[in-house]
Amino acid sequence: MPFVKVRNDEAGSRRFSMWSLALWVLLLLLAYGGLQYLQHGDFLYLGATFVAIVVCVGAIMRHEWARSAMRVVALLIALYALVSGIAILMHWSDFDSMRQSAQANPQIAEDVSMLLARTKRVYQIALAIKAIGIVYLLWLAWVLGRPAVRTQFHRRQTRFSRG
């Protein structure tokens, strides 16, 4: 039994595609996120990230089971980014109230204002990354459902399915 399976059909040929590159970028981001969750001891998110990594690798290897699973994973991550972005926006007005509270105490007003400005900038960057990520993940879920891409995936052959 050979280790490498060679496909000669046209549908299985490996040509460059943006969705394949998008999967590799997503895999790298998932691996980085997994390391962060491991460092912080958040094992629930680490387990979910591990499942997403397995599905992403399966999609990179163009297994049919992973294509539909990757669409679901991409939609779930996009939904999570949307909900967490809304949560950030719900607390946006807190920056002004904290700044006003800091102005009441002149000894710490300058330090707190500088810290709040820095935190607000981090939140703005996080919101921008979430917005880009949502569009990216929705595009990935859409493109993996297209018929032209669907034909590039193959079913896993077992010993019993060979003729």
Side-chain angles (χ1 to χ4, degrees):
M1 184 164 141
F3 182 70
V4 178
K5 179 180 173 184
V6 178
R7 294 175 53 131
N8 294 328
D9 58 334
E10 188 65 30
S13 65
R14 296 270 181 155
R15 56 188 179 274
F16 175 76
S17 55
M18 286 301 293
W19 64 265
S20 182
L21 179 64
L23 285 173
W24 279 102
V25 170
L26 183 60
L27 178 64
L28 290 172
L29 293 172
L30 286 169
Y32 177 73
L35 289 174
Q36 295 300 310
Y37 295 138
L38 182 64
Q39 182 181 5
H40 295 292
D42 198 337
F43 296 111
L44 180 65
Y45 281 111
L46 179 63
T49 303
F50 180 73
V51 169
I53 287 172
V54 169
V55 170
C56 192
V57 168
I60 288 170
M61 295 176 66
R62 299 182 188 209
H63 291 290
E64 178 57 35
W65 64 267
R67 184 190 61 80
S68 55
M70 190 67 238
R71 293 181 73 197
V72 172
V73 166
L75 290 174
L76 287 174
I77 296 172
L79 180 64
Y80 176 77
L82 178 66
V83 170
S84 61
I86 290 171
I88 288 174
L89 286 174
M90 288 175 61
H91 295 286
W92 199 260
S93 62
D94 293 346
F95 286 112
D96 293 330
S97 62
M98 285 187 269
R99 181 175 291 117
Q100 290 172 357
S101 297
Q103 296 300 332
N105 189 348
Q107 296 171 338
I108 61 167
E110 185 179 333
D111 293 335
V112 171
S113 293
M114 190 168 37
L115 181 63
L116 286 173
R118 188 174 193 183
T119 305
K120 191 173 184 177
R121 196 168 31 253
V122 169
Y123 274 35
Q124 289 169 338
I125 292 169
L127 284 172
I129 290 172
K130 286 178 186 295
I132 292 168
I134 289 169
V135 172
Y136 169 81
L137 291 165
L138 291 177
W139 172 81
L140 183 61
W142 171 77
V143 79
L144 287 175
R146 295 183 60 216
V149 173
R150 195 177 307 143
T151 61
Q152 296 178 27
F153 285 79
H154 57 86
R155 292 193 180 275
R156 182 173 171 222
Q157 289 188 352
T158 64
R159 285 182 232 183
F160 305 111
S161 66
R162 284 186 242 153

